[in-house]
Amino acid sequence: MKNMTLEQMAKACSGTLFAGEYEKDQTAAGVVIDSRQVRPGYVFVAIPGERVDGHDFIPQVFAQGAFAVISEKELEAPAGPYILVASTKTALANLAAHYRASLDIPVVGITGSVGKTSTKEMISAVLSQKYKVHKTAGNFNNEIGLPLTVFQITEEAQVAVLEMGISEFGEMTRLAKVARPNIAVITNIGICHLENLKTRDGILQAKTEMFDHLAEHATVVLNGDDDKLCTVERVQGNPPVFYGMGEDKPQAAVYDKKSVFATEVENLGLEGVRFLLHLPQGAYPLQTFIPGVHNVYNACAAAAVGLALGLTQEEICRGIESAQTIAGRTNLIHAKDYLVIDDCYNANPVSMKAAIDVLVQAKGRKIAVLGDMGELGENEEKLHYEVGTYLAKSKVDLLFTSGELCRHLKRGVIDHPHTVICRQFDSRDELLEKLKETIQQGDTILVKASHFMGYQDIVKALI
């Protein structure tokens, strides 16, 4: 990170600086909340958590060479400078917003119900053809992770691609105040986080809170085939940039409003998707090597962002074809004599159905290992049942599930004509034991559930 002085940090945090004999204009090398990551010159922010209170580690981090500490508690005889604040979580966000304001680089902010991470990876692959890109790592897309991602932006970075995930009203406002995107991308308005946001209109309202906190002269990039997003007419007085499928699939938005779109889409199964990408400069045949037709939308979003940041069509096309998956996101893993589709980072009804669509493209036996989907609100049982109904119509051979909600998913299968062999287990460990006994050479196994189900352990065991 660019260096900040203690006085600058205290002002940004609205905190009181206790520096003693230390030089107030001394600068920090980094900001962390994990005591294990503290290095000489770093600032440690003591966040109180449900299981661990960061304040308990303050003596330790000073011993490790911490430059300073940000604390909610008054410290007696601290071994170094500290800034006293009312809330360290709020201080972390305010400090990150201050640091973001010092950066003279474009920031791409990405949100949406489904496909945030995949779109982030596709956009980063495209932009890296011209720029040095800093992107969100792992699941650092919330009110703790986003500020930490911002602090990691170095002077060498030429553009930042930040993922922004929410589950309640007001959360996007707090994230956008930190990120201040120059380009805002919304992938879709799906069915997730209904526990707090209640309806898709509620989700639209929550996601578009971002629009009130964009950088000046920002560009907004929206999925034109989403029936909610296509109702957005102007942001900061300007029309959004729409992307989507071509004339054969104008699901919602008016076709001629799309600046970037795809036609002649050919599903190549697990080998990816071939399509014709239409840009203002012309049409270009491409192949993304990530399986799933839904990834064509990610490619179109990336192309729209690339155009906004001045990339040529050659750079855009090269970036799309070079994009790769990451762990937990339709990641194909060849393990022993079978193939694992690792899609277990998270799940909602839309992404679950998309993952099933990918699985059915495989050769040999197709095994779906599915777990509960979280934060779906009062309709959670019905939504699980509907995924089961969808699975019943597919060409999946075996279903292995655990979790109370997946009992409704299984019921959705067996209530409809199907050829799927269904097996429900009381625990993830019992499921894994029987799954290992069942797998044969040439099988393809999809592993997908919401993160709290811990299905990443199933993937680790299989590979």
Side-chain angles (χ1 to χ4, degrees):
M1 62 177 286
K2 289 183 177 180
N3 293 329
M4 289 190 294
T5 68
L6 282 173
E7 287 191 326
Q8 289 172 335
M9 288 188 289
K11 184 177 180 181
C13 295
S14 299
T16 303
L17 173 61
F18 295 88
E21 299 178 356
Y22 294 89
E23 294 291 336
K24 295 181 180 180
D25 60 355
Q26 188 176 347
T27 56
V31 178
V32 296
I33 64 167
D34 187 335
S35 62
R36 296 166 296 182
Q37 297 175 348
V38 170
R39 302 289 183 272
Y42 275 46
V43 172
F44 174 71
V45 184
I47 303 288
E50 294 181 3
R51 299 181 180 178
V52 178
D53 187 345
H55 293 84
D56 296 338
F57 297 90
I58 289 177
Q60 174 186 324
V61 300
F62 275 129
Q64 293 170 213
F67 167 48
V69 163
I70 299 178
S71 170
E72 294 179 3
K73 302 176 181 179
E74 293 188 22
L75 305 181
E76 295 184 7
Y82 81 99
I83 299 170
L84 181 64
V85 297
S87 164
T88 49
K89 183 178 177 181
T90 300
L92 183 73
N94 291 340
L95 189 58
H98 173 79
Y99 182 61
R100 158 66 180 106
S102 73
L103 301 172
D104 188 22
I105 63 172
V107 169
V108 182
I110 305 168
T111 192
S113 298
V114 182
K116 291 185 294 295
T117 300
S118 301
T119 304
K120 174 204 71 182
E121 293 298 319
M122 188 75 78
I123 290 174
S124 299
V126 167
L127 296 183
S128 65
Q129 303 303 311
K130 181 174 183 177
Y131 300 109
K132 183 174 177 59
V133 177
H134 180 84
K135 64 181 180 180
T136 300
N139 61 342
F140 276 49
N141 65 359
N142 58 19
E143 291 188 69
I144 298 295
L146 178 66
L148 294 175
T149 300
V150 169
F151 289 131
Q152 292 169 359
I153 301 174
T154 65
E155 291 182 318
E156 291 74 29
Q158 296 174 301
V159 62
V161 181
L162 305 180
E163 182 179 332
M164 305 164 72
I166 65 166
S167 60
E168 63 184 24
F169 292 109
E171 192 171 4
M172 180 57 73
T173 292
R174 296 188 291 273
L175 293 177
K177 285 181 177 180
V178 173
R180 291 286 179 181
N182 301 90
I183 300 176
V185 181
I186 305 184
T187 61
N188 46 57
I189 303 299
I191 305 172
C192 63
H193 304 304
L194 295 178
E195 187 174 6
N196 295 319
L197 302 178
K198 304 302 181 185
T199 66
R200 290 183 67 225
D201 286 326
I203 296 170
L204 176 67
Q205 177 185 338
K207 298 288 186 183
T208 54
E209 288 176 11
M210 185 198 300
F211 296 164
D212 293 328
H213 305 283
L214 301 176
E216 191 176 2
H217 306 303
T219 299
V220 173
V221 177
L222 304 177
N223 182 344
D225 289 336
D226 185 282
D227 62 329
K228 298 298 182 181
L229 291 175
C230 75
T231 64
V232 177
E233 296 182 354
R234 289 187 174 273
V235 180
Q236 293 185 345
N238 298 312
V241 174
F242 285 108
Y243 68 89
M245 296 293 185
E247 290 177 289
D248 57 334
K249 192 176 181 182
Q251 292 180 344
V254 177
Y255 166 69
D256 59 12
K257 285 186 178 180
K258 295 177 188 173
S259 301
V260 177
F261 59 94
T263 60
E264 300 181 24
V265 177
E266 180 185 358
N267 191 340
L268 304 177
L270 298 185
E271 299 300 319
V273 186
R274 188 179 292 127
F275 59 98
L276 193 64
L277 178 68
H278 294 259
L279 304 177
Q281 301 93 324
Y284 305 90
L286 284 179
Q287 179 178 346
T288 173
F289 294 90
I290 305 173
V293 171
H294 56 281
N295 284 294
V296 176
Y297 280 101
N298 304 340
C300 290
V305 173
L307 290 173
L309 289 177
L311 272 70
T312 65
Q313 63 267 29
E314 290 84 3
E315 290 169 330
I316 290 170
C317 294
R318 188 166 64 243
I320 290 172
E321 293 195 324
S322 70
Q324 298 178 339
T325 58
I326 60 174
R329 311 283 184 160
T330 320
N331 186 27
L332 303 180
I333 305 172
H334 293 273
K336 300 178 182 178
D337 298 324
Y338 49 85
L339 179 67
V340 178
I341 303 176
D342 170 19
D343 201 353
C344 65
Y345 175 73
N346 220 334
N348 58 54
V350 175
S351 66
M352 192 74 89
K353 292 174 184 177
I356 292 169
D357 289 343
V358 172
L359 175 62
V360 298
Q361 300 298 321
K363 299 177 181 178
R365 284 200 314 174
K366 304 160 187 63
I367 304 175
V369 180
L370 307 180
D372 289 355
M373 301 175 286
E375 298 184 354
L376 294 181
E378 60 185 14
N379 291 320
E380 60 183 5
E381 294 180 0
K382 177 176 179 288
L383 292 170
H384 279 79
Y385 183 88
E386 289 175 355
V387 170
T389 300
Y390 190 85
L391 184 67
K393 300 174 184 177
S394 74
K395 296 181 180 179
V396 171
D397 297 295
L398 291 92
L399 169 66
F400 282 66
T401 70
S402 67
E404 286 303 312
L405 290 173
C406 267
R407 297 184 186 281
H408 302 282
L409 191 154
K410 178 185 174 183
R411 185 166 56 83
V413 176
I414 61 179
D415 283 353
H416 296 82
H418 67 280
T419 59
V420 186
I421 298 173
C422 302
R423 305 195 66 180
Q424 174 79 32
F425 299 92
D426 293 330
S427 71
R428 182 191 62 203
D429 292 341
E430 183 184 356
L431 181 157
L432 178 58
E433 181 181 350
K434 296 300 181 183
L435 178 62
K436 286 181 175 180
E437 296 174 0
T438 304
I439 294 175
Q440 300 174 2
Q441 182 176 350
D443 287 348
T444 297
I445 305 104
L446 166 67
V447 184
K448 188 166 182 65
S450 283
H451 191 64
F452 70 87
M453 292 294 291
Y455 270 35
Q456 63 271 18
D457 292 340
I458 294 177
V459 173
K460 291 177 183 178
L462 291 179
I463 64 176

